[in-house]
Amino acid sequence: MKIKSRGIILHTTNYSETSLVVKIYTEQSGMGSFIVSGVRSKKSRFSSSIFQPLSLVEVIAAGKPGQTLHRISEIQLSPPFTGIPGDMIKSTIAIFLSEIIYRSVKEEEINNPLFNFLINGIQILDLSHQNCSRFHIYFMIQLSRYLGIFPNGEFVKGVSYFDLREGLLKNTIPPHAEFLDTHQTAILFELMGKSFDNFHEVVISQTISKSILNALVTYFEIHQTHGSQIRSHKILEEVLS
């Protein structure tokens, strides 16, 4: 079985002394596990920059029918990043979003709308000259649409609360602590209707931004990560503070 596809680097694990196992979300077959032999040796023909979080690649790999681990024969950046590597905020956002995608997307099948959304969003993060300090929040909200957990319900300004457990906008306070208040919910709702071109127009204070980020992490953990905890947002919060 041969795989030749565009893909997104999401997670790496050391394997033996010189090799890596890499999780790549591919255009042709969804989420896949790949082994790269000798990549951690000094004589490797593959640059370590290829395997950074969210790197966009072209990969050629082979495996036997029924196997879940494919061996990479060729891999290259396509296209290489120009903005993320030298920008601490962008690179930390990339680490965080790679964890979100890795823990949330489990399907091992073609999903062109999701793949195209991810590719488009990652390239916008890399190339954007706008302030990217709220990019991850907007990205998570829009990603939820492709995962089938987009917030639902009728919004009433000053009245609606977002119930994280049920994924619903409600006009009464939920009987538990996992919800956004009316102000936070209004910002969430505004971001739900924005595009990558204009989400920067939404004014969000650092305090509210932190609250919404933590709420979205909780939301994904409840509905999408299958018991896995998301951890890298703590590092992101430190960088953005």
Side-chain angles (χ1 to χ4, degrees):
M1 177 182 176
K2 186 175 183 179
I3 294 175
K4 183 178 182 181
S5 179
R6 292 192 298 166
I8 304 164
I9 303 291
L10 297 178
H11 186 264
T12 61
T13 306
N14 292 343
Y15 182 81
S16 75
E17 292 185 2
T18 60
S19 301
L20 286 177
V21 171
V22 187
K23 280 286 187 179
I24 305 177
Y25 188 65
T26 69
E27 184 176 25
Q28 281 195 358
S29 53
M31 190 69 77
S33 297
F34 298 82
I35 186 169
V36 194
S37 299
V39 69
R40 297 164 58 215
S41 68
K42 293 181 180 179
K43 297 181 180 180
S44 173
R45 59 195 178 94
F46 299 126
S47 168
S48 61
S49 64
I50 294 175
F51 303 100
Q52 297 305 304
L54 293 191
S55 288
L56 306 179
V57 297
E58 291 272 359
V59 60
I60 299 175
K64 295 179 181 179
Q67 284 187 334
T68 57
L69 190 62
H70 307 281
R71 186 171 296 274
I72 290 176
S73 58
E74 298 290 338
I75 187 169
Q76 62 181 4
L77 295 171
S78 180
F81 287 147
T82 59
I84 290 176
D87 187 309
M88 180 176 291
I89 290 177
K90 286 186 176 184
S91 59
T92 309
I93 289 173
I95 291 170
F96 170 66
L97 292 182
S98 67
E99 183 183 13
I100 290 290
I101 299 165
Y102 168 63
R103 300 206 180 278
S104 299
V105 178
K106 302 299 181 183
E107 55 196 20
E108 297 178 355
E109 57 187 30
I110 296 173
N111 185 333
N112 287 327
L114 173 59
F115 184 83
N116 291 334
F117 165 77
L118 295 175
I119 288 285
N120 184 49
I122 293 166
Q123 289 182 313
I124 288 172
L125 174 63
D126 181 52
L127 299 173
S128 177
H129 297 294
Q130 299 274 6
N131 182 344
C132 290
S133 62
R134 307 293 183 260
F135 181 92
H136 52 291
I137 293 176
Y138 175 76
F139 186 96
M140 286 182 73
I141 293 169
Q142 297 305 320
L143 174 60
S144 73
R145 187 191 303 272
Y146 295 88
L147 299 177
I149 59 170
F150 195 62
N152 201 358
E154 184 178 351
F155 172 76
V156 180
K157 188 174 183 180
V159 175
S160 295
Y161 300 83
F162 180 54
D163 186 323
L164 300 175
R165 290 187 185 179
E166 296 191 28
L168 292 174
L169 300 167
K170 293 182 172 181
N171 295 340
T172 56
I173 299 177
H176 53 76
E178 293 168 334
F179 66 90
L180 292 178
D181 66 25
T182 55
H183 179 54
Q184 296 163 343
T185 299
I187 292 173
L188 175 77
F189 182 76
E190 192 174 359
L191 287 170
M192 286 165 58
K194 294 293 185 180
S195 69
F196 277 115
D197 292 329
N198 60 18
F199 80 89
H200 308 88
E201 297 170 0
V202 181
V203 178
I204 314 175
S205 70
Q206 186 171 327
T207 301
I208 296 297
S209 176
K210 183 176 179 180
S211 298
I212 294 177
L213 171 60
N214 282 303
L216 287 172
V217 167
T218 298
Y219 187 57
F220 272 65
E221 288 177 342
I222 291 172
H223 297 281
Q224 201 64 32
T225 65
H226 309 286
S228 297
Q229 284 190 317
I230 297 164
R231 304 181 187 279
S232 56
H233 63 294
K234 298 298 183 183
I235 299 172
L236 182 56
E237 286 179 354
E238 291 181 10
V239 170
L240 294 176
S241 62

